[in-house]
Amino acid sequence: MSAIRTPCAATAAVLVLHGGSADSTEPVGPFSLAALRLLPVARAIARADRNAAVYRLRNAVKGWNGDGATVLADARAAVDAIAATHPDLPVVLVGHSLGGRVAVHLARSAGPDAAGPVVGVVGLAPWLEPGDPVEGLTRVPLAVVQGTNDRMIPTRSTEPWLDRAARAGVRLRRIVVDGGEHTMLRHYRRWHRDCVDGVRWVLATAAAAAAIPPGRAGSAGPRR
């Protein structure tokens, strides 16, 4: 895990998770395109909010590999490390593609009543299988940003899961980038802006649910 920005008086923390593939035990190298693709996203979040501690994770392996055990363990360890460095701060997970799936699975036990610091998720072109569970997400805001020209994970492929999540009471915010593709290179400024807006919405929604006094709120969002 690498730090993009770690302000002394941080009001929130953001962990950025990169994409990958369904099946691969190949290590993720420092020059992996999937990992590097999220560097501009992480920097955009850090620029937009100077009070947010922003971190970027590089997974041990490229694939989900059946049950996602390895990539989930990587993300869980990163969240624990952030919580140790920034006690009591809300953590937002931002995940692209496979990273979106990791974020959603990791957040299932999160929420204002849970012990963990994760308060919500921003999924960028997230990989969401129809059978993925939605239980445990009703208190976790989820912002989803997708592109109309995404051929790797078309918006229609995520509809079954998103519909189930909505029926289960998950608080969803859906944004579509017209002409956006899976790589997030085309219309990248729009992707970055919508991602930042998603982070802010997650923090505000989580704070409202937790009934945190407005006077404690920072520009990135309130403390928990």
Side-chain angles (χ1 to χ4, degrees):
M1 183 175 69
S2 58
I4 302 297
R5 180 177 175 80
T6 55
C8 295
T11 58
V14 180
L15 176 61
V16 179
L17 308 171
H18 65 79
S21 59
D23 298 291
S24 175
T25 57
E26 184 179 346
V28 179
F31 301 108
S32 163
L33 288 179
L36 290 175
R37 187 172 290 131
L38 273 292
L39 181 57
V41 173
R43 287 174 173 169
I45 296 169
R47 283 195 306 270
D49 204 316
R50 310 296 282 184
N51 291 327
V54 182
Y55 294 87
R56 187 169 65 99
L57 177 64
R58 178 157 57 92
N59 293 333
V61 297
K62 293 183 177 180
W64 178 260
N65 301 320
D67 61 1
T70 301
V71 288
L72 285 170
D74 289 343
R76 193 173 292 112
V79 169
D80 289 345
I82 292 171
T85 304
H86 306 281
D88 302 322
L89 285 191
V91 176
V92 178
L93 302 178
V94 173
H96 174 246
S97 193
L98 174 140
R101 192 180 194 189
V102 170
V104 167
H105 277 253
L106 196 63
R108 286 180 56 222
S109 60
D113 296 330
V118 175
V119 297
V121 170
V122 178
L124 304 174
W127 173 26
L128 299 169
E129 289 290 323
D132 282 349
V134 298
E135 296 79 14
L137 289 170
T138 56
R139 300 294 301 275
V140 186
L142 171 60
V144 176
V145 186
Q146 297 173 294
T148 59
N149 288 358
D150 189 335
R151 296 185 179 182
M152 185 169 293
I153 302 178
T155 55
R156 65 178 180 277
S157 72
T158 62
E159 290 289 345
W161 187 90
L162 290 170
D163 288 345
R164 287 178 53 230
R167 290 196 303 270
V170 178
R171 287 168 292 175
L172 292 172
R173 181 185 187 189
R174 301 185 63 185
I175 303 168
V176 176
V177 178
D178 189 26
E181 300 170 338
H182 194 72
T183 62
M184 302 186 297
L185 294 176
R186 189 179 182 188
H187 307 304
Y188 70 90
R189 289 188 179 89
R190 171 72 190 276
W191 281 98
H192 294 175
R193 184 173 68 250
D194 289 341
C195 177
V196 168
D197 288 346
V199 170
R200 290 171 173 163
W201 175 81
V202 163
L203 287 167
T205 304
I212 297 176
R216 293 180 60 192
S219 60
R223 294 176 183 267
R224 293 183 70 215

